Amino acid sequence: AQSVSQHNHHVILSEAASLELGCNYSYGGTVNLFWYVQYPGQHLQLLLKYFSGDPLVKGIKGFEAEFIKSKFSFNLRKPSVQWSDTAEYFCAVNARNFNKFYFGSGTKLNVKP
Amino acid sequence: DTAVSQTPKYLVTQMGNDKSIKCEQNLGHDTMYWYKQDSKKFLKIMFSYNNKELIINETVPNRFSPKSPDKAHLNLHINSLELGDSAVYFCASSPGQVLNTEAFFGQGTRLTVV
């Protein structure tokens, strides 16, 4: 079975600090990878996704993520966070051609103004 | 235009009651899902339907019964509600099994059982 691990449960940063959130998955086959963001009281929105090609993907709001196949990782990064980035971030995986998205337990990011 | 819409947004009810949550998507997607997000924000898949057919049922108590009258709708009916059912329930959709794409989520329904 697939599983997704997010190592950081709660991260607190000051504005302009750099961000890296870890995500590892366990599945031996080909996967699609996603990062979703959930702002307080809102639904999940897609930040970025990886299907194939360049392992460094860029998403909305200055976020990017790097797929490292050998490490089964898909870490999320942002060079300089803003207060408005305060939210919960979820890594998700699904195996190619299987309609089942597995989510990590989420990382709560608090950015202090 | 809301792509995936759920109603109601909030639902407060007593233990033992039966309630339904409705979900509709206007994206033309073939696959729809129900996810449960618990108090610790953990998202767990409950059901998945593809073209009105159940394809995933993740060991959910049989008090939970999804119904898909057509591929644009996936409703969730819950019988004999329990305190532990309190959570946020998210509906989602995706194009289907052939295409690689993301899931699109609704706004969520916050269910509180008292």
Side-chain angles (χ1 to χ4, degrees), chain B residues 2-102:
Chain B
T2 305
V4 182
S5 59
Q6 298 177 226
T7 53
K9 194 171 179 181
Y10 300 97
L11 184 55
V12 181
T13 188
Q14 290 187 324
M15 276 197 312
N17 284 351
D18 304 337
K19 289 293 177 187
S20 292
I21 308 171
K22 295 186 175 181
C23 179
E24 176 182 5
Q25 53 95 3
N26 61 7
L27 297 166
H29 289 168
D30 287 337
T31 305
M32 294 185 73
Y33 314 80
W34 277 108
Y35 279 84
K36 180 180 180 181
Q37 187 176 47
D38 62 24
S39 58
K40 295 182 179 177
K41 300 287 190 177
F42 185 62
L43 268 164
K44 189 173 179 190
I45 190 166
M46 300 173 70
F47 300 103
S48 173
Y49 269 71
N50 189 62
N51 269 322
K52 303 192 298 175
E53 265 190 59
L54 178 67
I55 55 173
I56 294 171
N57 181 343
E58 286 287 303
T59 58
V60 177
N62 58 14
R63 297 183 295 105
F64 290 79
S65 52
K67 284 186 174 50
S68 183
D70 55 61
K71 75 174 193 177
H73 295 84
L74 181 61
N75 304 325
L76 183 65
H77 188 76
I78 316 169
N79 289 327
S80 304
L81 277 154
E82 300 177 358
L83 292 176
D85 297 331
S86 295
V88 181
Y89 292 83
F90 285 99
C91 178
S93 72
S94 67
Q97 290 184 311
V98 176
L99 300 174
N100 294 321
T101 187
E102 68 268 30

Side-chain angles (χ1 to χ4, degrees), chain A residues 36 38 43 49 99-101, chain B residues 35 37 58 97 102-103 106:
Chain A
Y36 282 85
Q38 187 178 25
H43 66 295
K49 59 191 176 187
N99 275 319
K100 192 171 179 179
F101 293 81
Chain B
Y35 279 84
Q37 187 176 47
E58 286 287 303
Q97 290 184 311
E102 68 268 30

Side-chain angles (χ1 to χ4, degrees), chain B residues 97-112:
Chain B
Q97 290 184 311
V98 176
L99 300 174
N100 294 321
T101 187
E102 68 268 30
F104 294 78
F105 284 81
Q107 297 276 356
T109 296
R110 182 174 294 276
L111 171 65
T112 304

Side-chain angles (χ1 to χ4, degrees), chain A residues 5-112:
Chain A
S5 301
Q6 290 183 240
H7 320 295
N8 319 98
H9 296 295
H10 193 184
V11 173
I12 303 173
L13 295 172
S14 297
E15 274 194 316
S18 64
L19 171 73
E20 180 157 3
L21 301 182
C23 173
N24 285 89
Y25 65 93
S26 64
Y27 182 70
T30 306
V31 295
N32 298 327
L33 297 155
F34 311 86
W35 275 96
Y36 282 85
V37 61
Q38 187 178 25
Y39 297 104
Q42 296 193 25
H43 66 295
L44 283 91
Q45 302 170 44
L46 185 71
L47 265 184
L48 45 78
K49 59 191 176 187
Y50 173 80
F51 296 145
S52 64
D54 188 345
L56 184 63
V57 292
K58 295 194 184 299
I60 60 171
K61 306 186 182 187
F63 285 90
E64 64 179 32
E66 185 175 12
F67 171 49
I68 302 179
K69 190 174 180 180
S70 60
K71 294 185 178 179
F72 297 89
S73 70
F74 190 56
N75 292 354
L76 180 71
R77 299 195 290 250
K78 185 170 183 178
S80 176
V81 293
Q82 300 172 313
W83 176 77
S84 58
D85 294 325
T86 294
E88 193 100 21
Y89 292 81
F90 293 90
C91 181
V93 167
N94 81 327
R96 291 282 170 85
N97 299 324
F98 283 93
N99 275 319
K100 192 171 179 179
F101 293 81
Y102 289 88
F103 284 83
S105 53
T107 298
K108 185 170 183 175
L109 172 65
N110 278 108
V111 180
K112 298 183 292 184

